[in-house]
Amino acid sequence: MKTKVAVFFGGRSVEHEISVISALQAINAFDKEKYEVIPVYISKQGKWFTGQQLLEISNYKDLKGLETKVEEVYMKPIYGDYKIYRSNLKGGIFSKKDPVVADIHVAFPVLHGSHGEDGMFQGILETIGIPFVGCDTLSSANGMDKITMKMILRESGIPVVDYVWFTDREWLTSRESVDSQIETDLGYPVIVKPANLGSSVGISKASDRKSLDAAIENAIRFSTRIIVEHMVQDMKEINCSVLGDADHRETSVCEEPIKHKDFLTYQEKYGGGEKSGMQSSQKKIPADIPAEVSSKIQELASQTFRVLACNGVSRIDFMIDNENGDIFVNEINTIPGSLSYYLWEETGIGFSQLIDKLISLALKRKRDTDRKTFSYDTNIFSMGKGLKGGLKGGAKGGNKIK
């Protein structure tokens, strides 16, 4: 029997289109002898759809038109219910059409950015209890939020650049104070980023207060939390992917993205064509760095993956300060563009083999989780008086439950 895998993609995110590209790349890599793939597209409005038309990327040029050709679906937030249901049954409960589209075994999120890579979607899957590929709710949230991630890494002794963070409300009510703190703690130049977006969305460089204010105004369009980082001016960017879980991990070869400005823009990352994805951006694989530097980066990537309790495949992005050789973790992508398959191909693991490993990791985590205790079979209400003193008086005057 084939394993039924639902691949979820799209989503309410500014990285919606990149998710579509990454997902279709992954779907094409599945071994169809082993797996039955059910595509589940999440629209920019948050509706779920399935249908074979979702497998052709040219159909996404007209999103509204595409939605009329596919079927709206949903999953129930009931533990143990792994079914995907039709949303619109003609005839209602009297319809002769099967309300179930598919009874799946594994969920495979390929959702980039907010509402998909940040733990929100993973929380739904954990509520249902279905095995799913990638990081869990906690590690997704910590990896997505650049502020929280840097706090955890710094506490764990993993090097990150100096930074200042604040909320959009703090900025709007205390602009002068925020500017002064940035200038005092970091100086110029700096990089301003939304705390919870990827793909270089909302990121700007600032060299003085005027450009700083403009960069922050741009960033708060996308996030309620903003991070401003010290900018390493003479730097080299290096990326490394990690595959596994917190206990058993392997690292890929390193890549060196080729940038034309101070940081890779959205267009530089994904502008290679509608079918290209992250692997199309210019890069050197393996990176042109000494073997000992590559080994150090791979070690830090593995530590970062472990400290954040990641699972599946992630890509960790680094900065090397060319002036002194210092290495800093920049960010982690817990659902990386193109699932970093091109790095694993260079490491000796093909895309189809990568898919197999990710599904095996999802099933292993489910087995491990099921061995833990989450509740007791005993009903304390049936044990004599139950709660000490009962609940006399109802809500008023009753004993407090501590």
Side-chain angles (χ1 to χ4, degrees):
M1 183 180 72
K2 294 182 180 180
T3 301
K4 294 183 180 180
V5 183
V7 177
F8 293 86
F9 58 98
R12 295 174 52 233
S13 168
V14 293
E15 300 175 73
H16 180 99
E17 288 81 0
I18 309 309
S19 170
V20 172
I21 294 172
S22 292
L24 295 186
Q25 289 173 330
I27 289 171
N28 288 331
F30 273 83
D31 184 342
K32 302 307 188 293
E33 297 297 317
K34 295 180 181 179
Y35 306 104
E36 179 182 339
V37 182
I38 298 93
V40 182
Y41 167 69
I42 303 177
S43 73
K44 293 185 177 183
Q45 292 72 39
K47 293 183 177 182
W48 296 15
F49 298 92
T50 192
Q52 291 301 302
Q53 293 87 347
L54 296 172
L55 301 177
E56 178 53 56
I57 196 167
S58 61
N59 290 335
Y60 292 88
K61 293 178 179 179
D62 178 10
L63 294 179
K64 290 297 182 182
L66 175 60
E67 291 178 16
T68 65
K69 300 174 184 177
V70 291
E71 186 160 28
E72 187 175 348
V73 295
Y74 68 98
M75 292 185 75
K76 296 179 181 179
I78 300 174
Y79 188 83
D81 188 346
Y82 299 173
K83 297 179 178 65
I84 297 176
Y85 296 91
R86 291 183 169 86
S87 295
N88 304 307
L89 275 179
K90 292 183 179 180
I93 61 174
F94 302 105
S95 174
K96 295 182 180 180
K97 196 172 186 179
D98 189 346
V100 177
V101 174
D103 194 350
I104 63 176
H105 303 120
V106 180
F108 197 131
V110 190
L111 294 156
H112 300 318
S114 55
H115 305 105
E117 195 175 354
D118 54 7
M120 290 188 182
F121 188 74
Q122 289 74 14
I124 295 172
L125 299 178
E126 290 194 58
T127 298
I128 296 171
I130 188 169
F132 65 93
V133 168
C135 290
D136 64 12
T137 302
L138 180 63
S139 53
S140 295
N142 287 336
M144 187 68 186
D145 190 279
K146 296 176 176 64
I147 299 166
T148 305
M149 180 205 70
K150 284 180 164 57
M151 288 178 176
I152 295 172
L153 296 186
R154 177 168 282 178
E155 175 67 21
S156 303
I158 296 174
V160 297
V161 296
D162 291 335
Y163 62 93
V164 169
W165 74 272
F166 50 91
T167 68
D168 56 352
R169 185 164 294 278
E170 287 175 318
W171 162 251
L172 294 171
T173 58
S174 307
R175 179 175 304 200
E176 182 69 27
S177 175
V178 171
D179 282 346
S180 296
Q181 182 185 4
I182 293 169
E183 291 170 342
T184 299
D185 293 354
L186 303 178
Y188 293 108
V190 294
I191 296 291
V192 180
K193 304 177 180 179
N196 57 356
L197 290 180
S199 299
S200 299
V201 175
I203 296 180
S204 307
K205 172 187 173 183
S207 301
D208 51 37
R209 181 167 289 202
K210 181 179 179 181
S211 58
L212 174 64
D213 289 351
I216 295 173
E217 289 286 354
N218 178 47
I220 64 175
R221 294 169 50 217
F222 301 100
S223 177
T224 60
R225 283 156 48 96
I226 309 301
I227 185 169
V228 180
E229 300 173 350
H230 164 71
M231 181 177 174
V232 179
Q233 297 187 66
D234 183 12
M235 69 143 179
K236 179 177 289 189
E237 292 186 40
I238 301 293
N239 301 335
C240 179
S241 186
V242 183
L243 173 65
D245 56 27
D247 295 314
H248 303 284
R249 306 169 302 282
E250 54 187 314
T251 54
S252 74
V253 299
C254 295
E255 66 169 336
E256 180 182 349
I258 306 301
K259 58 188 178 68
H260 304 291
K261 300 178 182 178
D262 295 306
F263 56 88
L264 279 174
T265 64
Y266 181 97
Q267 183 61 29
E268 286 175 320
K269 285 182 177 180
Y270 302 110
E274 62 180 14
K275 296 185 179 181
S276 52
M278 181 62 185
Q279 94 285 359
S280 70
S281 57
Q282 292 182 300
K283 54 178 65 70
K284 296 178 183 177
I285 305 177
D288 185 16
I289 52 178
E292 61 271 19
V293 175
S294 180
S295 295
K296 179 63 175 177
I297 287 174
Q298 289 171 323
E299 177 187 349
L300 287 172
S302 181
Q303 290 178 17
T304 299
F305 192 91
R306 175 187 173 275
V307 164
L308 295 174
C310 294
N311 191 293
V313 66
S314 295
R315 194 190 73 239
I316 295 90
D317 299 348
F318 293 84
M319 298 182 292
I320 301 176
D321 189 335
N322 289 325
E323 290 187 0
N324 51 31
D326 289 343
I327 301 172
F328 302 98
V329 173
N330 185 29
E331 63 182 27
I332 184 171
N333 299 271
T334 56
I335 306 181
S338 300
L339 299 180
S340 293
Y341 80 84
Y342 53 93
L343 286 175
W344 291 104
E345 285 185 337
E346 293 292 332
T347 309
I349 297 175
F351 204 171
S352 293
Q353 187 181 358
L354 175 64
I355 296 290
D356 287 343
K357 286 177 175 288
L358 292 175
I359 292 174
S360 293
L361 285 163
L363 296 172
K364 174 181 179 293
R365 178 175 56 197
K366 176 61 175 175
R367 292 192 299 270
D368 292 344
T369 301
D370 285 348
R371 286 195 287 265
K372 301 300 180 183
T373 300
F374 294 98
S375 64
Y376 296 106
D377 292 333
T378 304
N379 182 355
I380 65 171
F381 296 108
S382 66
M383 298 171 62
K385 289 185 178 181
L387 297 177
K388 185 178 180 181
L391 292 174
K392 295 179 180 179
K396 294 183 178 180
N399 294 338
K400 294 180 179 178
I401 300 174
K402 297 182 179 179

